[in-house]
């Protein structure tokens, strides 16, 4: 199954896409994670993306489309994929469609996770990740608080906040999302593949809504 996950930053799309990828044995490609890895290694891609990411703006289409095309060439999209955070613009959506058509595939479902803006800001402001193993935590959620403050449960590495989870940048990222999502949602709705899921509640509750919506239960 080929899926795209759409949702505001903090909507839980990364968590849900990761869980679903395990369940479906599909590749999970999160463009935000790929870009952050590129920034931390100082690669050419990272240098092109960093300033946009720090400001909460989208990286230019040609940069991000180039990244996905490269992943496809490397065979990372063979055998089913879940794209998380891509597409975010119409040119990205049409480039993806073209890329899939070239290998006789298509997008089976576009899952849109809907969460209220206030909840998004609350979730993002509590988010922490481990600088060593990248494990994610949230100090506002009972099930995902680290056991010791500022320390990773898994590897004892130091926890930090993402640079773009700063209050001003969060607001910009949410605005950017709201301004881009309508045409993308329409694009997938017109192809009868849009699945809108309420993203409120616990990760388990959201996962079971998604599974039901995809007919996996
Ligand atoms: P995320 O982790 O999905 O919230 O993405 C973090 C940042 O990476 C975004 O704020 C953008 O700057 C950049 N980014 C991730 N995916 C895309 C995309 N599909 N198009 C443009 N920029 C992206």
């Amino acid at each position: 199954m080929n899926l795209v996950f759409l949702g505001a930053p903090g909507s839980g799309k990364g968590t849900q896409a990761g869980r679903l990828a395990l369940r479906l044995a599909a590749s999970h490609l999160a463009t935000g994670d790929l870009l952050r890895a590129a920034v931390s290694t100082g690669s050419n891609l990272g240098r092109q993306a960093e300033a946009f990411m720090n400001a909460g703006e989208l990286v230019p289409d040609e940069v991000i489309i180039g990244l996905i095309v490269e992943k496809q060439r490397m065979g990372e999209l063979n055998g089913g994929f879940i794209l998380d955070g891509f597409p975010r613009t119409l040119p990205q959506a049409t480039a993806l469609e073209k890329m899939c058509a070239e290998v006789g595939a298509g997008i089976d479902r576009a899952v849109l996770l809907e969460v209220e803006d206030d909840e998004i800001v609350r979730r993002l402001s509590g988010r922490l990740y481990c600088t060593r193993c990248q494990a994610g935590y949230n100090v506002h959620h009972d099930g995902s608080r680290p056991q010791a403050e500022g320390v990773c449960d898994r590897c004892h590495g130091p926890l930090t906040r993402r640079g773009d989870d700063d209050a001003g940048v969060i607001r910009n990222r949410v605005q950017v999302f709201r301004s881009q999502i309508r045409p993308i949602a329409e694009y997938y709705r017109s192809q009868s593949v849009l699945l809108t899921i309420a993203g409120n509640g616990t990760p388990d509750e959201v996962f079971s809504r998604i599974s039901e919506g995809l007919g996996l239960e």
Side-chain angles (χ1 to χ4, degrees), residues 3-203:
L3 302 172
V4 298
F5 261 71
L6 313 170
S11 60
K13 64 182 164 28
T15 305
Q16 298 297 334
R19 285 178 73 159
L20 199 58
L22 280 179
R23 166 88 185 264
L24 298 172
S27 314
H28 173 203
L29 282 182
T31 44
D33 290 349
L34 295 172
L35 291 172
R36 278 183 289 281
V39 169
S40 70
T41 59
S43 70
N44 192 25
L45 170 66
R47 285 195 300 277
Q48 287 176 281
E50 190 170 15
F52 295 101
M53 295 175 76
N54 288 342
E57 298 291 338
L58 294 184
V59 168
D61 282 338
E62 61 275 18
V63 173
I64 199 87
I65 291 169
L67 174 68
I68 295 292
V69 167
E70 188 193 317
K71 295 287 169 194
Q72 189 209 22
R73 288 210 187 106
M74 287 161 65
E76 290 190 29
L77 302 183
N78 296 348
F81 61 78
I82 301 184
L83 289 177
D84 158 8
F86 184 95
R88 266 167 148 111
T89 64
L90 270 185
Q92 292 180 19
T94 50
L96 177 62
E97 186 174 356
K98 190 164 156 254
M99 206 176 75
C100 288
E102 278 166 14
V103 292
I107 300 299
D108 297 301
R109 295 295 243 173
V111 181
L112 170 60
L113 283 182
E114 284 198 324
V115 178
E116 300 278 322
D117 284 4
D118 287 353
E119 174 64 8
I120 288 171
V121 172
R122 202 182 74 85
R123 287 185 187 180
L124 292 185
S125 61
R127 206 153 75 159
L128 293 173
Y129 77 98
C130 173
T131 52
R132 204 178 289 160
C133 75
Q134 314 301 319
Y137 297 88
N138 199 309
V139 294
H140 294 327
H141 292 168
D142 284 348
S144 54
R145 244 178 242 124
Q147 280 164 12
E149 199 181 318
V151 180
C152 179
D153 295 353
R154 285 195 217 159
C155 75
H156 306 292
L159 301 183
T160 189
R161 202 174 285 282
R162 263 171 57 173
D164 59 358
D165 279 348
D166 151 276
V169 181
I170 288 175
R171 272 192 293 277
N172 195 33
R173 288 166 65 206
V174 173
Q175 259 177 18
V176 167
F177 170 77
R178 294 280 171 227
S179 67
Q180 301 279 1
I181 190 59
R182 203 180 295 258
I184 310 266
E186 277 313 313
Y187 178 83
Y188 287 117
R189 185 175 289 124
S190 72
Q191 299 182 357
S192 308
V193 295
L194 185 71
L195 174 66
T196 303
I197 300 286
N200 59 306
T202 66

